[in-house]
Amino acid sequence: MAPRPNWKGHLKLSLVSCSVALYSATSTSERIRFNIINRKTGNRVRNLVVDSETEEPVEQQDRIKGYQFEKNNYIQVEDDELDEVALESTHTIDIDSFVPRDEVDELYLDESYYIVPNDKVGHEAFAVIRKAMEKEDLVGLARVVLYRRERILMLQPRGDGLMATALRYRTEVRDEDKYFDDIPAAKVSADMLDLAVHILKSKKAHFDPDKFEDRYERALTSLIKAKQAGKPVPKSE
């Protein structure tokens, strides 16, 4: 069964436009997840929404979003008020500019998506945009509204499609100087540097994600299988 797209709309570059679909490029759905259950009954525990002061349950119609502007003081915000300030989705990924990939700091990269043409009519326009970026070795910067918020996307060719990586805003990235300024200057001897370089070269390899194994996930799977079969819990390595 084909995955469901996160978003459908149009990819637009000046007068060139094509219908596209956007899919999450990564997923954590394969990770083992636990429910909280009652040890005595084996039943699943249900979380109740209660008032932090009265400890009385709060019904759905009485729940409202609140912004804490000082300790224990909140500004209440209604859903329709949020709708008023939400950006209207035009369902268009509008490419504003193109920049060299190495100018985009890795620190700004957030979640990634795959972009594919959504109908046969737009295949040629999609291919033109992708090939042009490939030829000039540039990535596109575009704006799109996802889940009420405007996101900046970095578009780059990947295989026969495009990969879109959401970028963090400047206000979301911490200034490195606040952390690195207190690191004292160190004088590195030539001998120590040569030794470190030698070690690096002896361990040089190629990036291969197939070699990355989630050892914790593997241990969890073994634990669950053993308990399911009524066998002793395996010892950790």
Side-chain angles (χ1 to χ4, degrees), residues 183-232:
I183 300 177
K187 187 176 181 180
V188 179
S189 69
D191 289 345
M192 289 297 291
L193 182 58
D194 288 342
L195 176 60
V197 169
H198 173 73
I199 294 173
L200 262 64
K201 286 182 177 179
S202 69
K203 292 182 174 293
K204 188 176 180 180
H206 292 285
F207 179 74
D208 183 2
D210 288 337
K211 293 181 178 179
F212 301 154
E213 184 181 7
D214 190 336
R215 292 182 292 179
Y216 179 66
E217 192 76 9
R218 183 182 66 186
L220 280 180
T221 302
S222 298
L223 168 66
I224 290 170
K225 285 182 177 179
K227 292 181 74 69
Q228 199 171 17
K231 297 179 179 178

Short mmCIF file of all heavy atoms in Angstrom, two decimals, residues 183-232:
data_model
loop_
_atom_site.label_atom_id
_atom_site.label_comp_id
_atom_site.label_asym_id
_atom_site.label_seq_id
_atom_site.Cartn_x
_atom_site.Cartn_y
_atom_site.Cartn_z
N ILE A 183 35.94 28.10 25.93
CA ILE A 183 36.92 27.04 25.68
C ILE A 183 38.30 27.68 25.55
O ILE A 183 38.53 28.53 24.68
CB ILE A 183 36.58 26.27 24.38
CG1 ILE A 183 35.20 25.63 24.49
CG2 ILE A 183 37.64 25.22 24.09
CD1 ILE A 183 34.76 24.93 23.23
N PRO A 184 39.24 27.32 26.43
CA PRO A 184 40.56 27.96 26.38
C PRO A 184 41.35 27.55 25.14
O PRO A 184 41.17 26.44 24.62
CB PRO A 184 41.24 27.45 27.66
CG PRO A 184 40.56 26.15 27.96
CD PRO A 184 39.14 26.31 27.51
N ALA A 185 42.18 28.45 24.66
CA ALA A 185 43.04 28.14 23.52
C ALA A 185 44.06 27.09 23.94
O ALA A 185 44.63 27.16 25.03
CB ALA A 185 43.74 29.41 23.05
N ALA A 186 44.25 26.10 23.09
CA ALA A 186 45.18 25.02 23.42
C ALA A 186 46.26 24.94 22.35
O ALA A 186 45.96 25.02 21.16
CB ALA A 186 44.44 23.70 23.53
N LYS A 187 47.49 24.77 22.81
CA LYS A 187 48.59 24.61 21.88
C LYS A 187 48.79 23.12 21.61
O LYS A 187 49.02 22.34 22.53
CB LYS A 187 49.88 25.21 22.46
CG LYS A 187 51.04 25.22 21.47
CD LYS A 187 52.25 25.91 22.03
CE LYS A 187 53.39 25.93 21.02
NZ LYS A 187 54.61 26.60 21.57
N VAL A 188 48.65 22.74 20.36
CA VAL A 188 48.74 21.33 19.98
C VAL A 188 50.13 21.07 19.39
O VAL A 188 50.54 21.73 18.43
CB VAL A 188 47.66 20.96 18.95
CG1 VAL A 188 47.79 19.49 18.54
CG2 VAL A 188 46.28 21.24 19.53
N SER A 189 50.83 20.11 19.99
CA SER A 189 52.17 19.80 19.49
C SER A 189 52.08 19.06 18.17
O SER A 189 51.08 18.36 17.89
CB SER A 189 52.93 18.95 20.52
OG SER A 189 52.36 17.66 20.60
N ALA A 190 53.12 19.18 17.37
CA ALA A 190 53.14 18.53 16.05
C ALA A 190 53.07 17.02 16.19
O ALA A 190 52.41 16.34 15.39
CB ALA A 190 54.41 18.95 15.29
N ASP A 191 53.75 16.46 17.21
CA ASP A 191 53.75 15.01 17.41
C ASP A 191 52.34 14.50 17.72
O ASP A 191 51.92 13.46 17.19
CB ASP A 191 54.71 14.62 18.54
CG ASP A 191 56.16 14.81 18.14
OD1 ASP A 191 56.42 14.95 16.92
OD2 ASP A 191 57.03 14.81 19.03
N MET A 192 51.64 15.21 18.61
CA MET A 192 50.29 14.78 18.99
C MET A 192 49.34 14.90 17.80
O MET A 192 48.47 14.05 17.59
CB MET A 192 49.79 15.62 20.16
CG MET A 192 50.48 15.33 21.48
SD MET A 192 50.20 13.62 22.02
CE MET A 192 48.45 13.68 22.41
N LEU A 193 49.49 15.95 17.01
CA LEU A 193 48.65 16.14 15.84
C LEU A 193 48.90 15.03 14.82
O LEU A 193 47.96 14.47 14.24
CB LEU A 193 48.91 17.50 15.21
CG LEU A 193 48.06 17.86 13.99
CD1 LEU A 193 46.57 17.81 14.32
CD2 LEU A 193 48.43 19.25 13.46
N ASP A 194 50.19 14.68 14.60
CA ASP A 194 50.52 13.61 13.66
C ASP A 194 49.92 12.28 14.12
O ASP A 194 49.42 11.50 13.30
CB ASP A 194 52.04 13.47 13.54
CG ASP A 194 52.67 14.62 12.76
OD1 ASP A 194 51.91 15.32 12.04
OD2 ASP A 194 53.90 14.82 12.87
N LEU A 195 49.96 12.03 15.44
CA LEU A 195 49.39 10.79 15.97
C LEU A 195 47.88 10.74 15.75
O LEU A 195 47.33 9.71 15.33
CB LEU A 195 49.71 10.67 17.46
CG LEU A 195 49.11 9.46 18.20
CD1 LEU A 195 49.61 8.17 17.57
CD2 LEU A 195 49.44 9.52 19.69
N ALA A 196 47.22 11.88 16.02
CA ALA A 196 45.76 11.94 15.83
C ALA A 196 45.39 11.74 14.36
O ALA A 196 44.43 11.03 14.04
CB ALA A 196 45.23 13.27 16.34
N VAL A 197 46.15 12.36 13.47
CA VAL A 197 45.91 12.21 12.03
C VAL A 197 46.09 10.76 11.61
O VAL A 197 45.31 10.21 10.82
CB VAL A 197 46.83 13.14 11.22
CG1 VAL A 197 46.77 12.80 9.73
CG2 VAL A 197 46.45 14.60 11.44
N HIS A 198 47.13 10.12 12.16
CA HIS A 198 47.38 8.70 11.84
C HIS A 198 46.20 7.83 12.27
O HIS A 198 45.77 6.94 11.52
CB HIS A 198 48.66 8.23 12.54
CG HIS A 198 48.90 6.76 12.41
ND1 HIS A 198 49.31 6.17 11.23
CD2 HIS A 198 48.75 5.74 13.31
CE1 HIS A 198 49.40 4.86 11.41
NE2 HIS A 198 49.07 4.58 12.66
N ILE A 199 45.66 8.09 13.46
CA ILE A 199 44.51 7.32 13.96
C ILE A 199 43.29 7.55 13.07
O ILE A 199 42.56 6.61 12.72
CB ILE A 199 44.19 7.71 15.42
CG1 ILE A 199 45.35 7.28 16.34
CG2 ILE A 199 42.89 7.08 15.88
CD1 ILE A 199 45.22 7.78 17.76
N LEU A 200 43.07 8.81 12.69
CA LEU A 200 41.94 9.13 11.81
C LEU A 200 42.04 8.37 10.50
O LEU A 200 41.07 7.79 10.01
CB LEU A 200 41.87 10.64 11.55
CG LEU A 200 40.88 11.44 12.40
CD1 LEU A 200 41.27 11.40 13.87
CD2 LEU A 200 40.82 12.89 11.93
N LYS A 201 43.23 8.38 9.90
CA LYS A 201 43.42 7.71 8.62
C LYS A 201 43.21 6.21 8.74
O LYS A 201 42.67 5.56 7.84
CB LYS A 201 44.81 8.01 8.08
CG LYS A 201 44.97 9.43 7.53
CD LYS A 201 46.36 9.64 6.96
CE LYS A 201 46.49 11.04 6.35
NZ LYS A 201 47.85 11.27 5.80
N SER A 202 43.65 5.63 9.88
CA SER A 202 43.50 4.18 10.06
C SER A 202 42.04 3.78 10.23
O SER A 202 41.67 2.63 10.02
CB SER A 202 44.31 3.72 11.28
OG SER A 202 43.74 4.21 12.49
N LYS A 203 41.19 4.72 10.63
CA LYS A 203 39.77 4.44 10.82
C LYS A 203 38.89 5.05 9.71
O LYS A 203 37.67 5.06 9.83
CB LYS A 203 39.30 4.98 12.18
CG LYS A 203 39.89 4.23 13.38
CD LYS A 203 39.37 4.76 14.68
CE LYS A 203 39.83 3.93 15.85
NZ LYS A 203 39.24 2.57 15.85
N LYS A 204 39.52 5.54 8.66
CA LYS A 204 38.76 6.17 7.58
C LYS A 204 37.90 5.13 6.88
O LYS A 204 38.34 4.01 6.60
CB LYS A 204 39.73 6.81 6.59
CG LYS A 204 39.04 7.66 5.52
CD LYS A 204 40.08 8.35 4.64
CE LYS A 204 39.42 9.20 3.57
NZ LYS A 204 40.41 9.88 2.72
N ALA A 205 36.65 5.50 6.59
CA ALA A 205 35.71 4.58 5.94
C ALA A 205 34.74 5.39 5.09
O ALA A 205 34.89 6.61 4.96
CB ALA A 205 34.96 3.77 7.00
N HIS A 206 33.76 4.72 4.51
CA HIS A 206 32.71 5.38 3.75
C HIS A 206 31.42 5.33 4.55
O HIS A 206 31.16 4.38 5.28
CB HIS A 206 32.51 4.71 2.38
CG HIS A 206 33.68 4.90 1.46
ND1 HIS A 206 33.95 6.10 0.83
CD2 HIS A 206 34.67 4.04 1.10
CE1 HIS A 206 35.03 5.98 0.10
NE2 HIS A 206 35.49 4.75 0.24
N PHE A 207 30.61 6.35 4.39
CA PHE A 207 29.34 6.42 5.12
C PHE A 207 28.41 5.33 4.61
O PHE A 207 28.10 5.26 3.41
CB PHE A 207 28.69 7.79 4.94
CG PHE A 207 27.36 7.93 5.63
CD1 PHE A 207 27.30 8.05 7.00
CD2 PHE A 207 26.18 7.92 4.91
CE1 PHE A 207 26.09 8.16 7.65
CE2 PHE A 207 24.95 8.02 5.54
CZ PHE A 207 24.91 8.16 6.94
N ASP A 208 27.96 4.45 5.52
CA ASP A 208 27.07 3.35 5.16
C ASP A 208 26.01 3.20 6.26
O ASP A 208 26.25 2.58 7.29
CB ASP A 208 27.87 2.05 5.02
CG ASP A 208 27.00 0.89 4.57
OD1 ASP A 208 25.78 1.11 4.32
OD2 ASP A 208 27.52 -0.25 4.47
N PRO A 209 24.81 3.78 6.03
CA PRO A 209 23.77 3.71 7.07
C PRO A 209 23.32 2.29 7.38
O PRO A 209 22.75 2.04 8.44
CB PRO A 209 22.63 4.54 6.48
CG PRO A 209 22.88 4.59 5.02
CD PRO A 209 24.35 4.51 4.85
N ASP A 210 23.57 1.32 6.47
CA ASP A 210 23.19 -0.06 6.74
C ASP A 210 23.97 -0.64 7.92
O ASP A 210 23.55 -1.64 8.52
CB ASP A 210 23.42 -0.94 5.50
CG ASP A 210 22.40 -0.65 4.41
OD1 ASP A 210 21.31 -0.14 4.74
OD2 ASP A 210 22.70 -0.92 3.23
N LYS A 211 25.10 -0.03 8.24
CA LYS A 211 25.91 -0.51 9.37
C LYS A 211 25.42 0.02 10.70
O LYS A 211 25.87 -0.42 11.76
CB LYS A 211 27.38 -0.12 9.16
CG LYS A 211 28.05 -0.82 7.99
CD LYS A 211 29.50 -0.41 7.87
CE LYS A 211 30.19 -1.14 6.72
NZ LYS A 211 31.61 -0.73 6.58
N PHE A 212 24.50 0.99 10.66
CA PHE A 212 23.98 1.56 11.90
C PHE A 212 22.81 0.71 12.39
O PHE A 212 21.77 0.63 11.73
CB PHE A 212 23.51 3.00 11.69
CG PHE A 212 24.58 3.92 11.18
CD1 PHE A 212 24.24 5.06 10.46
CD2 PHE A 212 25.92 3.67 11.41
CE1 PHE A 212 25.22 5.91 9.98
CE2 PHE A 212 26.90 4.51 10.93
CZ PHE A 212 26.55 5.64 10.22
N GLU A 213 22.99 0.08 13.52
CA GLU A 213 21.94 -0.75 14.09
C GLU A 213 21.52 -0.17 15.43
O GLU A 213 22.37 0.20 16.25
CB GLU A 213 22.42 -2.19 14.27
CG GLU A 213 21.34 -3.12 14.77
CD GLU A 213 21.84 -4.54 14.96
OE1 GLU A 213 23.06 -4.77 14.83
OE2 GLU A 213 21.01 -5.42 15.26
N ASP A 214 20.21 -0.10 15.63
CA ASP A 214 19.67 0.38 16.90
C ASP A 214 19.76 -0.77 17.90
O ASP A 214 18.88 -1.63 17.97
CB ASP A 214 18.22 0.84 16.72
CG ASP A 214 17.69 1.57 17.94
OD1 ASP A 214 18.22 1.34 19.05
OD2 ASP A 214 16.73 2.35 17.81
N ARG A 215 20.83 -0.81 18.69
CA ARG A 215 21.06 -1.94 19.59
C ARG A 215 20.04 -1.98 20.71
O ARG A 215 19.68 -3.05 21.20
CB ARG A 215 22.48 -1.87 20.15
CG ARG A 215 23.55 -2.12 19.08
CD ARG A 215 24.94 -2.09 19.63
NE ARG A 215 25.33 -0.75 20.06
CZ ARG A 215 26.50 -0.45 20.60
NH1 ARG A 215 27.40 -1.39 20.79
NH2 ARG A 215 26.78 0.79 20.95
N TYR A 216 19.55 -0.81 21.12
CA TYR A 216 18.51 -0.78 22.15
C TYR A 216 17.22 -1.38 21.62
O TYR A 216 16.54 -2.16 22.30
CB TYR A 216 18.29 0.66 22.62
CG TYR A 216 17.21 0.80 23.67
CD1 TYR A 216 17.36 0.25 24.94
CD2 TYR A 216 16.02 1.47 23.39
CE1 TYR A 216 16.37 0.37 25.90
CE2 TYR A 216 15.02 1.60 24.34
CZ TYR A 216 15.21 1.05 25.60
OH TYR A 216 14.22 1.16 26.55
N GLU A 217 16.85 -1.03 20.37
CA GLU A 217 15.64 -1.57 19.76
C GLU A 217 15.76 -3.10 19.60
O GLU A 217 14.80 -3.84 19.82
CB GLU A 217 15.40 -0.91 18.40
CG GLU A 217 14.05 -1.17 17.78
CD GLU A 217 12.93 -0.36 18.41
OE1 GLU A 217 13.23 0.54 19.22
OE2 GLU A 217 11.76 -0.64 18.09
N ARG A 218 16.95 -3.57 19.22
CA ARG A 218 17.17 -5.00 19.07
C ARG A 218 17.01 -5.71 20.42
O ARG A 218 16.40 -6.78 20.49
CB ARG A 218 18.57 -5.24 18.51
CG ARG A 218 18.89 -6.71 18.25
CD ARG A 218 20.29 -6.88 17.75
NE ARG A 218 21.26 -6.52 18.79
CZ ARG A 218 22.57 -6.47 18.60
NH1 ARG A 218 23.07 -6.74 17.40
NH2 ARG A 218 23.38 -6.15 19.58
N ALA A 219 17.55 -5.09 21.49
CA ALA A 219 17.43 -5.69 22.83
C ALA A 219 15.97 -5.71 23.28
O ALA A 219 15.52 -6.68 23.91
CB ALA A 219 18.28 -4.91 23.82
N LEU A 220 15.21 -4.65 22.97
CA LEU A 220 13.79 -4.61 23.33
C LEU A 220 13.02 -5.72 22.62
O LEU A 220 12.17 -6.39 23.21
CB LEU A 220 13.18 -3.25 22.96
CG LEU A 220 13.41 -2.08 23.90
CD1 LEU A 220 12.72 -0.83 23.34
CD2 LEU A 220 12.88 -2.37 25.29
N THR A 221 13.32 -5.91 21.33
CA THR A 221 12.65 -6.95 20.55
C THR A 221 12.93 -8.33 21.15
O THR A 221 12.02 -9.16 21.28
CB THR A 221 13.11 -6.91 19.08
OG1 THR A 221 12.84 -5.61 18.55
CG2 THR A 221 12.40 -7.95 18.25
N SER A 222 14.19 -8.59 21.52
CA SER A 222 14.56 -9.88 22.12
C SER A 222 13.84 -10.07 23.46
O SER A 222 13.38 -11.18 23.76
CB SER A 222 16.08 -9.95 22.34
OG SER A 222 16.76 -9.86 21.10
N LEU A 223 13.75 -9.00 24.24
CA LEU A 223 13.07 -9.06 25.54
C LEU A 223 11.60 -9.43 25.36
O LEU A 223 11.07 -10.32 26.04
CB LEU A 223 13.20 -7.71 26.24
CG LEU A 223 12.33 -7.47 27.47
CD1 LEU A 223 12.72 -8.39 28.61
CD2 LEU A 223 12.42 -6.02 27.93
N ILE A 224 10.93 -8.75 24.43
CA ILE A 224 9.50 -8.98 24.21
C ILE A 224 9.25 -10.39 23.67
O ILE A 224 8.32 -11.09 24.11
CB ILE A 224 8.93 -7.91 23.25
CG1 ILE A 224 8.90 -6.55 23.97
CG2 ILE A 224 7.54 -8.28 22.77
CD1 ILE A 224 8.59 -5.39 23.07
N LYS A 225 10.08 -10.84 22.73
CA LYS A 225 9.91 -12.18 22.17
C LYS A 225 10.11 -13.25 23.23
O LYS A 225 9.39 -14.26 23.26
CB LYS A 225 10.89 -12.39 21.01
CG LYS A 225 10.49 -11.65 19.73
CD LYS A 225 11.47 -11.95 18.60
CE LYS A 225 11.02 -11.27 17.30
NZ LYS A 225 11.98 -11.53 16.19
N ALA A 226 11.10 -13.04 24.11
CA ALA A 226 11.37 -14.01 25.18
C ALA A 226 10.19 -14.09 26.15
O ALA A 226 9.75 -15.18 26.52
CB ALA A 226 12.65 -13.64 25.91
N LYS A 227 9.68 -12.94 26.55
CA LYS A 227 8.56 -12.92 27.49
C LYS A 227 7.29 -13.51 26.85
O LYS A 227 6.49 -14.18 27.49
CB LYS A 227 8.30 -11.49 27.98
CG LYS A 227 9.42 -10.94 28.87
CD LYS A 227 9.13 -9.54 29.36
CE LYS A 227 8.07 -9.51 30.45
NZ LYS A 227 8.54 -10.09 31.72
N GLN A 228 7.12 -13.24 25.55
CA GLN A 228 5.96 -13.76 24.83
C GLN A 228 6.00 -15.29 24.76
O GLN A 228 4.96 -15.97 24.81
CB GLN A 228 5.94 -13.16 23.42
CG GLN A 228 4.60 -13.23 22.73
CD GLN A 228 4.60 -12.42 21.43
OE1 GLN A 228 5.65 -12.10 20.90
NE2 GLN A 228 3.43 -12.10 20.94
N ALA A 229 7.23 -15.84 24.66
CA ALA A 229 7.40 -17.29 24.56
C ALA A 229 7.57 -17.95 25.93
O ALA A 229 7.75 -19.16 26.01
CB ALA A 229 8.60 -17.60 23.68
N GLY A 230 7.52 -17.14 27.00
CA GLY A 230 7.66 -17.69 28.34
C GLY A 230 9.08 -18.13 28.67
O GLY A 230 9.31 -18.97 29.53
N LYS A 231 10.04 -17.54 27.97
CA LYS A 231 11.45 -17.90 28.20
C LYS A 231 12.12 -16.89 29.13
O LYS A 231 11.58 -15.79 29.33
CB LYS A 231 12.19 -17.95 26.85
CG LYS A 231 11.68 -19.01 25.90
CD LYS A 231 12.47 -18.97 24.58
CE LYS A 231 11.98 -20.06 23.63
NZ LYS A 231 12.70 -20.02 22.34
N PRO A 232 13.28 -17.23 29.69
CA PRO A 232 13.99 -16.29 30.56
C PRO A 232 14.36 -15.02 29.80
O PRO A 232 14.64 -15.07 28.60
CB PRO A 232 15.25 -17.07 30.98
CG PRO A 232 14.91 -18.51 30.75
CD PRO A 232 13.96 -18.53 29.58
#
